[in-house]
Amino acid sequence: MKPADSNRPVKDGADAVLSVAGLGVGYFPEKGRRLEVVGGVDLDLRAGRTVALVGESGCGKSITAAALGGLLPPGMVRDRGEIRWRVGGDCSPGRGLAYVFQDPGECLDPVFTIGSQIREALPRAERRGAGKRLDRLLRTVGFEDPERVLASYPHQLSGGMQQRAMLAMALAGRPRVLVADEPTTALDVTVQAKILRLLAELQQLEHLAVLLITHNLAVVAEIADEVLVMYAGRIVEAGPVHILGNPRHPYVNGLLKALPQLGTGPARLEGIAGTVPPLGRRPPGCRFHPRCPLAQPVCREREPPLNGPGDGHRAACWVREAEGPT
Amino acid sequence: MNAPLLMVENLRVTYPAGRRHVTAVRGATFTIERGRCLGVAGESGSGKSSLARGLLGLETHVAGRVVFDGQEVLKLDRAGRLRFRRRAQMVFQDPLGSLNPRMKTGAALAEVLRVHGLVATRAETERQVARWLETVGLDGAYANRFPHELSGGQRQRVNLARALCVGAEFLVADEPVSALDVSVQAQVLNLLKSLQETRGITWMLIGHDLAVMRHMADEVMVMKDGAILEQGPAADVLARPAHPYARELLAAVPDVGRALARRRPGATVSD
């Protein structure tokens, strides 16, 4: 962690590449009925920094990521808040914003070579005679034999190599923002470690703003600068990554206690009672209150705002807020 | 100390590939004591699942010896194999893929009980189904649910109930929690552990998550390319691995505590 982090105002989006304010996505199962998939998401992505959006399945993290590039699945609409680019130039998806997804094998077309697929991702004007650029792109993502890889078909590459190729493709359009949605979840741990290291290198080298979507708190702790924890469509805790050592929200606290860690040994884990409420059955007030060990009457009635003592660490919890800063 | 429940000697598992054979497990030797949990750690292609299938007699091209409670597993006749299958069961990673989507939970359990001739009447079946659901922490009402009506954790509980209800003493769990969310994973891991403690179940836990291993296993083996590179007490292997690959694997595991300590302001940066 760089020392400058602690004084950096998190709310102020002045130096952000991309700012998201009050983002909400609705799902319309039938006419006139709106179910909120995610709501009230504020997000600032800065060049050279990694923000992690972490949560369990169904919390809305991938939907938030998809909303940034207009990639929402049918039936879902981004109908709240705004997404603002703070830089000039072409910021459309594939140019300003690039994605890497969980399963590289499914993103690559099996009947075309890696070379032809990356070439296709280049801006049109650069495609002719792009040999040098392709070569450089592949070296950037860690290939030592670009020619062989460019001529390969996806099935000839391992999962880790496929993900490197996807990264090369994402970088082809010189994006400002890279959204990586579970980029290492399908990979083996040693390969995961390499891809995470590569992501961190690329972020510095290309001055990328990275939004990392993951369910894995340990991956967040390894490479993120900032972390946002989502639960049932809301951000419940946010701040510099070291807040994971001292979480304020009972949900985040519970998640960390439920996580087997190398250092804790065979101690009994504390699971979180109950399950994540499905869309459409999310409770009023604080969405975590039915599972929360600290729940008070107010938690059932009013939704807590995402607040903090001003050091960038914010949590949406009535009980913690009443306790004051820890 | 009585004899180990499972003794595996020089087990080899191969798969025919054209005229040649691909060797998935090259000579595994180990034992598991009664009521203990052996963790088998390795990455994809390391042979850990082939090892499990091989010792359960689920593979055809197997050489070596597997002795389960004094019996040679690989030489059992049909009746003996059926008895062995009752005592040694397997639980898989994908809890939905392991359940018939058109069969209610109760019917799935009842079928297994009937096949193994463990129940005679309908009333007895219902009683047994309710009892096993309760054992894995599910209310009896879940017998009337279809798999798609259950959460991932609940489905894995049903799979466990199905494995246990035939009287299994030895369970091989292949990545039993890697498809589950953290909060649910903890609940299932706690269940596995309490089954070990209260019912004396002997486990072989296969996985890639070394933190889960550290939490569950008494002994650990590290596999790569079909060979066992290191084996020993979990506290040793996962804290001070001797083999270079085991060290690499351990260093590659993302870990919240370790990462935050490394990245603390003022901490020396080492990679």
Side-chain angles (χ1 to χ4, degrees):
Chain A
M1 185 108 298
K2 289 142 253 168
D5 285 346
S6 42
N7 326 331
R8 194 187 283 269
V10 173
K11 257 234 132 91
D12 178 15
D15 58 342
V17 178
L18 183 71
S19 284
V20 172
L23 179 95
V25 174
Y27 173 61
F28 297 86
E30 58 205 75
K31 210 169 180 196
R33 194 156 89 96
R34 178 184 190 266
L35 293 176
E36 189 193 69
V37 184
V38 296
V41 173
D42 297 331
L43 193 64
D44 286 319
L45 301 176
R46 297 180 178 81
R49 316 254 306 158
T50 298
V51 174
L53 193 54
V54 61
E56 298 186 283
S57 31
C59 73
K61 55 190 190 300
S62 287
I63 292 300
T64 304
L68 294 188
L71 301 180
L72 287 171
M76 287 193 197
V77 182
R78 176 173 70 81
D79 51 2
R80 304 273 195 281
E82 55 178 330
I83 298 173
R84 218 165 344 146
W85 284 93
R86 308 282 185 145
V87 288
D90 182 2
C91 295
S92 59
R95 294 286 174 266
L97 187 71
Y99 283 87
V100 185
F101 295 102
Q102 174 171 346
D103 190 343
E106 243 162 61
C107 297
L108 291 162
D109 192 323
V111 303
F112 292 99
T113 61
I114 298 293
S116 75
Q117 295 187 58
I118 298 180
R119 189 188 304 269
E120 205 177 25
L122 289 173
R124 200 169 284 275
E126 295 177 28
R127 283 186 206 163
R128 206 176 264 274
K132 265 212 175 113
R133 178 91 210 285
L134 292 181
D135 192 272
R136 216 170 32 242
L137 270 174
L138 286 196
R139 284 185 196 278
T140 312
V141 297
F143 285 113
E144 278 159 17
D145 48 354
E147 265 162 50
R148 188 182 66 83
V149 176
L150 287 172
S152 301
Y153 288 90
H155 76 271
Q156 294 170 310
L157 305 182
S158 68
M161 289 165 84
Q162 287 177 350
Q163 198 59 295
R164 284 176 199 273
M166 287 307 298
L167 276 167
M169 205 180 293
L171 296 178
R174 296 198 181 81
R176 302 291 199 129
V177 175
L178 177 68
V179 180
D181 192 348
E182 303 274 9
T184 59
T185 306
L187 305 175
D188 272 323
V189 271
T190 52
V191 183
Q192 162 168 280
K194 285 175 193 146
I195 296 289
L196 289 179
R197 210 171 307 146
L198 174 65
L199 258 179
E201 279 169 26
L202 291 178
Q203 178 226 57
Q204 292 303 315
L205 202 71
E206 309 277 317
H207 224 54
L208 283 170
V210 176
L211 178 64
L212 174 73
I213 311 293
T214 180
H215 71 283
N216 191 330
L217 283 165
V219 166
V220 174
E222 296 281 349
I223 69 162
D225 298 299
E226 239 171 76
V227 56
L228 307 170
V229 185
M230 263 189 133
Y231 180 78
R234 292 291 155 121
I235 292 175
V236 295
E237 185 151 6
V241 70
H242 63 74
I243 67 166
L244 291 180
N246 179 29
R248 284 170 64 81
H249 198 283
Y251 172 63
V252 184
N253 196 26
L255 270 187
L256 284 157
K257 281 197 175 141
L259 191 70
Q261 294 194 40
L262 289 170
T264 52
R268 203 170 177 78
L269 300 169
E270 287 175 44
I272 303 174
T275 47
V276 178
L279 191 66
R281 259 184 280 158
R282 290 175 176 169
C286 170
R287 284 158 183 198
F288 187 60
H289 85 256
R291 305 175 72 189
C292 182
L294 308 178
Q296 299 295 316
V298 61
C299 306
R300 281 191 278 280
E301 286 151 21
R302 288 175 27 228
E303 201 174 328
L306 192 60
N307 271 339
D311 56 355
H313 187 174
R314 293 169 296 147
C317 176
W318 291 120
V319 178
R320 290 296 186 209
E321 189 159 282
E323 281 172 8
T326 43
Chain B
M1 204 78 211
N2 44 10
L5 181 66
L6 184 82
M7 214 173 80
V8 174
E9 255 178 46
N10 201 21
L11 187 79
R12 290 173 60 83
V13 179
T14 57
Y15 295 105
R19 283 190 187 173
R20 299 185 318 188
H21 279 256
V22 175
T23 308
V25 179
R26 27 189 108 233
T29 301
F30 59 92
T31 57
I32 310 181
E33 306 280 341
R34 248 171 242 278
R36 307 277 282 176
C37 174
L38 171 74
V40 183
E43 298 188 279
S44 38
S46 62
K48 53 192 195 303
S49 297
S50 297
L51 170 68
R53 295 177 54 86
L55 68 85
L56 288 177
L58 300 175
E59 293 290 347
T60 26
H61 301 271
V62 181
R65 269 181 90 210
V66 178
V67 182
F68 180 80
D69 199 13
Q71 280 182 313
E72 291 264 2
V73 172
L74 302 177
K75 292 178 187 155
L76 290 173
D77 56 9
R78 218 180 120 77
R81 211 156 43 223
L82 198 63
R83 271 198 305 279
F84 169 67
R85 293 256 166 96
R86 214 153 54 211
R87 301 177 64 191
Q89 288 271 325
M90 195 155 177
V91 179
F92 297 95
Q93 171 175 1
D94 176 9
L96 187 58
S98 331
L99 292 166
N100 184 339
R102 306 181 55 164
M103 220 179 211
K104 287 181 181 172
T105 301
L109 293 183
E111 183 184 47
V112 180
L113 290 166
R114 262 199 314 274
V115 164
H116 286 278
L118 298 171
V119 286
T121 65
R122 222 174 143 150
E124 198 186 341
T125 312
E126 270 172 34
R127 230 181 6 256
Q128 287 285 331
V129 166
R131 174 181 153 222
W132 287 108
L133 285 176
E134 198 180 313
T135 308
V136 296
L138 289 176
D139 188 272
Y142 281 99
N144 287 317
R145 303 265 185 101
F146 284 103
H148 75 263
E149 297 174 298
L150 304 175
S151 69
Q154 290 167 342
R155 288 176 198 142
Q156 203 57 302
R157 285 173 195 268
V158 172
N159 281 320
L160 276 168
R162 191 172 54 175
L164 290 168
C165 73
V166 293
E169 302 150 53
F170 175 55
L171 280 181
V172 176
D174 195 346
E175 302 268 15
V177 295
S178 42
L180 304 178
D181 272 318
V182 175
S183 67
V184 181
Q185 169 181 299
Q187 295 165 7
V188 173
L189 286 177
N190 283 340
L191 173 63
L192 297 188
K193 202 148 206 189
S194 76
L195 289 171
Q196 183 186 2
E197 285 159 7
T198 60
R199 309 188 79 90
I201 300 287
T202 308
W203 290 97
M204 182 160 150
L205 180 72
I206 297 170
H208 67 281
D209 189 332
L210 296 188
V212 168
M213 277 293 143
R214 178 74 191 90
H215 182 73
M216 294 296 299
D218 300 302
E219 327 272 321
V220 170
M221 308 198 303
V222 180
M223 288 188 74
K224 187 178 195 253
D225 297 334
I228 297 171
L229 300 182
E230 184 160 353
Q231 58 192 112
D236 294 344
V237 174
L238 296 179
R240 295 170 294 278
H243 194 281
Y245 172 74
R247 257 182 258 154
E248 186 193 337
L249 195 61
L250 187 67
V253 177
D255 186 73
V256 174
R258 207 162 61 175
L260 291 182
R262 171 169 55 80
R263 302 183 67 193
R264 218 176 18 231
T268 42
V269 178
S270 61
D271 234 24

